[in-house]
Amino acid sequence: MSTFDDRVALITGAGSGIGRAMAVAFAKAGARVVACDIDKESAGRTAEEIGEAAVAVAADISDEASVAALTEAAIGAYGRIDVLCNNAGIMDTMALPADIPVELWERVLRVNLTGTFLVTHAVLPHMLRQGSGAIVNTASEAGIRGGAAGAAYTASKHGVVGLTRSVAWAHAKDGIRCNAILPGPTMTNIATNASFDPTGAARLGPVLALGERLAQPEQMADAALFLASDAASFINGAIVPVDGGWSAA
């Protein structure tokens, strides 16, 4: 796989889990990293772990002004953005459509889908000026299934899949590629503080049990690293399950 020497990777949700693993992987491959997280301290820990090749930026991807400041900080630090990993996201409560509160629906869609759009929308002008760029979105198995998560999370990740394909199609002739990974069950803390709806959790249990093996965040990072690399130069608009075969069942 080609290296990322002299390239800049902006990674959201980089304070922990898959995002942190992505930040470390891109840095090891030679990239300079902008580690973004809504939690300033966790973003700082990731950047500190990487060292001189990283800067930490705190931003709320669901807020347009915060995203604008994030993009300005990345350009101010390194002058360009070659790779964007839209990884930040939140879980829902596994609630079924009839049971999910409207406020939770709007919050999950705002972060997972609108947030992915806002960061992409802010970064694309810089990639267009460069004539190149690679975007990797973190979708989910819930982006291709109806029973892998609650209604809000499922809808948001289906939206990320659609956004990925739209960006790939729209900017293929501009030297910009956009792909998505679909993580299966992974050892992260995204659900640590979640409170699950008992009815939804019981209903989804049999489907979730199919993903009996847990992946490590580094395995998701490896997939993102490949999709952003020159080795994947003719891969655009791909929706790639990284799930140990769960989606093949």
Side-chain angles (χ1 to χ4, degrees):
M1 189 183 303
S2 58
T3 68
F4 287 82
D5 292 349
D6 300 321
R7 300 186 195 183
V8 177
L10 168 57
I11 298 165
T12 67
S16 63
I18 294 172
R20 177 197 157 278
M22 286 177 174
V24 171
F26 277 95
K28 287 182 177 178
R32 290 166 290 173
V33 172
V34 180
C36 166
D37 201 279
I38 194 170
D39 182 74
K40 183 178 181 179
E41 291 185 0
S42 65
R45 286 193 295 269
T46 297
E48 184 178 358
E49 179 181 353
I50 292 170
E52 294 182 356
V55 295
V57 180
D60 178 358
I61 65 164
S62 71
D63 179 77
E64 188 174 3
S66 186
V67 168
L70 163 65
T71 308
E72 290 175 7
I75 295 299
Y78 296 125
R80 59 188 294 120
I81 300 171
D82 300 287
V83 175
L84 168 61
C85 291
N86 282 309
N87 173 75
I90 59 174
M91 283 289 293
D92 62 11
T93 63
M94 299 289 182
L96 301 177
D99 302 322
I100 185 169
V102 173
E103 295 81 4
L104 178 60
W105 169 274
E106 292 179 341
R107 175 61 179 159
V108 173
L109 268 289
R110 183 71 191 179
V111 174
N112 292 0
L113 179 55
T114 301
T116 297
F117 165 74
L118 288 174
V119 181
T120 301
H121 185 260
V123 168
L124 274 172
H126 300 283
M127 290 184 169
L128 287 168
R129 280 194 290 271
Q130 296 163 191
S132 65
I135 300 170
V136 181
N137 294 326
T138 300
S140 168
E141 282 292 325
I144 58 171
R145 289 174 175 266
Y153 189 82
T154 298
S156 73
K157 293 302 185 177
H158 271 71
V160 170
V161 168
L163 177 62
T164 298
R165 288 175 168 150
S166 180
V167 172
W169 175 84
H171 294 293
K173 294 182 180 180
D174 299 317
I176 298 169
R177 297 184 298 109
C178 186
N179 297 291
I181 60 171
L182 309 180
T186 306
M187 290 286 291
T188 71
N189 63 0
I190 188 172
T192 299
N193 298 317
S195 177
F196 293 117
D197 176 90
T199 301
R203 180 75 176 273
L204 297 170
V207 175
L208 297 175
L210 295 175
E212 58 185 16
R213 289 193 297 154
L214 291 179
Q216 297 298 316
E218 290 75 15
Q219 291 172 298
M220 302 302 145
D222 287 344
L225 193 70
F226 167 71
L227 289 173
S229 75
D230 292 342
S233 61
F234 209 61
I235 300 176
N236 192 24
I239 309 301
V240 183
V242 189
D243 62 6
W246 185 23
S247 60

